[in-house]
Amino acid sequence: MTTVELPSAERVAERATEILAAVEADHEFPAFVAASLKYDSDWQCFTGSVVVAEYDQEQDKHGLFAEGLKALCLKAAMFEMTGDENAAEIPIAVPVDEMTHAMIAQPQLLARITARVGAPIIHQTDQEHTDWRPEDFTHQAYRAAWGEPPARFWIDADEVARRLKWLDEKYAAMGFRKQGQAHSFRFTADELASVAA
């Protein structure tokens, strides 16, 4: 197994800011933003943005989009410098990672933009890391590029786990199990009786 030499956080930050500026300057960027934000009824889940305190999708989606784009640009810079997809999957905070899923769900737009920019976007679910923690490599590179990440969205992995444990108890009280991936509702007439047609 070969070891990949990692670039400095400062080098990654410098290149990520260049990639971000090029992406935002692309003529299809407004369409990419609109398409990503329109995906809002599909990209929320029981474990992502819901860990943000007093989350409101309509109010928070623009901030999350900005953070998701920065995260993708950091990963693109890492890939460009290492040529290694694993190394490029740097730790990302859970709510930010969830937003990136809405962004990569616009494959044609994203592919055209990144082809013109010359920086492929890296994201693969089985390799992603949502174990972001303050002062890790991602934090250092982000801070060097754009200053401190907003604490509202960049939530420490241990705190995310604590909030998810609390949410699991709330979900279970409503009949959801496995963080919303299972339930025992049968949608019988009796169960649905309180819902107006």
Side-chain angles (χ1 to χ4, degrees):
M1 183 175 176
T2 58
T3 304
V4 176
E5 185 178 341
L6 299 179
S8 69
E10 292 74 22
R11 281 185 60 218
V12 172
E14 183 179 1
R15 182 60 182 133
T17 58
E18 293 170 355
I19 294 169
L20 179 63
V23 168
E24 290 178 334
D26 190 90
H27 72 277
E28 285 196 285
F29 182 70
F32 175 63
V33 174
S36 296
L37 296 182
K38 191 172 183 177
Y39 195 67
D40 63 349
S41 64
D42 296 308
W43 55 263
Q44 74 271 19
C45 70
F46 279 68
T47 59
S49 53
V50 293
V51 300
V52 174
E54 298 183 292
Y55 179 71
D56 183 311
Q57 191 152 288
E58 195 55 38
Q59 293 177 17
D60 288 319
K61 65 184 180 182
H62 295 284
L64 273 173
F65 179 88
E67 296 311 306
L69 186 58
K70 288 174 183 176
L72 289 179
C73 290
L74 286 169
K75 294 203 298 185
M78 274 293 283
F79 180 69
E80 188 176 281
M81 292 179 184
T82 64
D84 187 285
E85 291 180 12
N86 248 336
E89 288 287 1
I90 57 177
I92 304 296
V94 169
V96 176
D97 178 72
E98 185 179 343
M99 182 67 222
T100 67
H101 296 173
M103 299 164 86
I104 61 176
Q106 319 309 321
Q108 294 86 351
L109 276 169
L110 188 56
R112 288 195 300 267
I113 292 170
T114 55
R116 286 189 290 268
V117 169
I121 295 300
I122 299 300
H123 186 90
Q124 188 165 314
T125 302
D126 66 345
Q127 294 181 22
E128 72 181 3
H129 295 281
T130 53
D131 52 348
W132 179 82
R133 287 179 172 81
E135 301 307 323
D136 69 3
F137 182 87
T138 305
H139 190 181
Q140 293 171 42
Y142 185 109
R143 186 167 50 214
W146 303 291
E148 283 297 327
R152 177 165 179 74
F153 303 130
W154 287 86
I155 304 169
D156 174 275
D158 294 331
E159 177 61 14
V160 168
R162 191 177 77 85
R163 293 180 187 190
L164 287 176
K165 185 176 179 185
W166 182 86
L167 283 167
D168 275 343
E169 293 174 9
K170 300 296 181 186
Y171 297 150
M174 293 184 287
F176 293 99
R177 303 184 314 281
K178 300 179 184 177
Q179 295 180 330
Q181 294 182 352
H183 65 69
S184 23
F185 308 138
R186 298 173 67 192
F187 303 105
T188 63
D190 288 342
E191 287 179 334
L192 298 174
S194 64
V195 179

